[in-house]
């Protein structure tokens, strides 16, 4: 499952958990570019923005790459979940380029070195270890067409492209 699909799945799960709560308010509106959704409840808040500025991802966009659009919408999201017990923020942008995959992966590998050892994965990436000893581990899926690079710690990860 790619980062956008994981983000959407997380958003849907959290939204369904928060909607029945007493004192829930939902605000959905069209922005200049994309949609904004805010869900507020006594258990926590969810904020989703689909008009992501690529700089918010923490990585530069590959030179010449264009935002991927499916069904007339950019494939990007900025999801912020907050509650008294935990918080999570995911910013993801999906772009496309006609350049060779190896060239694109090398561009992102150089950028991600700043966040720690870079793991290349055709499948899903998972964090293993404890505080101060976290490493990224690949769960290979030979049928996957997507290649991901991952670096960082359990609390602060970068996954590309």
């Amino acid at each position: 499952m790619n980062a956008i699909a994981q983000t959407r799945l997380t958003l849907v799960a959290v939204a369904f958990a928060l909607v029945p709560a007493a004192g829930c308010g939902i605000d959905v509106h069209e922005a200049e570019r994309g949609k904004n959704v805010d869900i507020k409840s006594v258990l926590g808040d969810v904020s989703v923005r689909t008009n992501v500025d690529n700089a918010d991802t923490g990585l530069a966009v590959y030179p010449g790459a264009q935002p991927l659009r499916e069904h007339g919408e950019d494939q990007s999201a900025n999801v912020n979940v907050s509650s008294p017990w935990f918080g999570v923020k995911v910013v993801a942008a999906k772009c496309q380029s006609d350049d060779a995959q190896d060239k694109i992966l090398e561009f992102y590998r150089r950028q991600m070195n700043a966040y720690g050892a870079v793991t290349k994965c055709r499948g899903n990436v998972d964090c293993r270890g404890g505080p101060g000893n976290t490493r990224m581990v690949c769960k290979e899926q030979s049928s996957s067409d997507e290649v991901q690079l991952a670096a960082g710690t359990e609390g602060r990860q970068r996954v590309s492209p």
Side-chain angles (χ1 to χ4, degrees):
M1 186 180 318
N2 66 35
I4 296 291
Q6 289 173 337
T7 301
R8 288 182 180 160
L9 180 60
T10 301
L11 171 64
V12 169
V14 171
F16 278 119
L18 293 177
V19 168
C24 180
I26 300 175
D27 178 29
V28 178
H29 65 277
E30 296 282 332
E32 181 178 324
R33 209 183 87 217
K35 295 179 183 172
N36 296 335
V37 177
D38 293 304
I39 301 172
K40 297 188 180 296
S41 83
V42 294
L43 298 177
D45 301 334
V46 177
S47 172
V48 180
R49 304 288 180 261
T50 60
N51 55 343
V52 172
D53 180 353
N54 287 334
D56 292 341
T57 65
L59 295 172
V61 176
Y62 181 78
Q66 298 297 315
L68 180 64
R69 295 182 63 82
E70 291 180 2
H71 309 294
E73 295 184 15
D74 288 351
Q75 297 300 294
S76 61
N78 182 338
V79 180
N80 193 355
V81 178
S82 61
S83 79
W85 308 282
F86 72 95
V88 107
K89 181 174 184 172
V90 177
V91 181
K94 209 167 190 181
C95 298
Q96 60 188 359
S97 172
D98 292 332
D99 286 355
Q101 185 181 52
D102 288 342
K103 186 175 179 182
I104 297 168
L105 287 171
E106 185 55 33
F107 172 83
Y108 284 107
R109 178 183 302 280
R110 284 193 310 268
Q111 283 193 47
M112 294 172 69
N113 275 332
Y115 299 103
V118 178
T119 300
K120 180 178 176 182
C121 183
R122 186 176 300 274
N124 294 319
V125 178
D126 193 16
C127 285
R128 294 283 163 85
N133 191 24
T134 303
R135 58 188 166 82
M136 307 304 273
V137 177
C138 177
K139 295 180 181 178
E140 288 287 334
Q141 293 179 340
S142 57
S143 61
S144 177
D145 290 335
E146 285 192 26
V147 176
Q148 297 181 46
L149 299 176
T153 64
E154 187 171 7
R156 295 185 63 81
Q157 303 167 14
R158 298 290 191 273
V159 179
S160 174

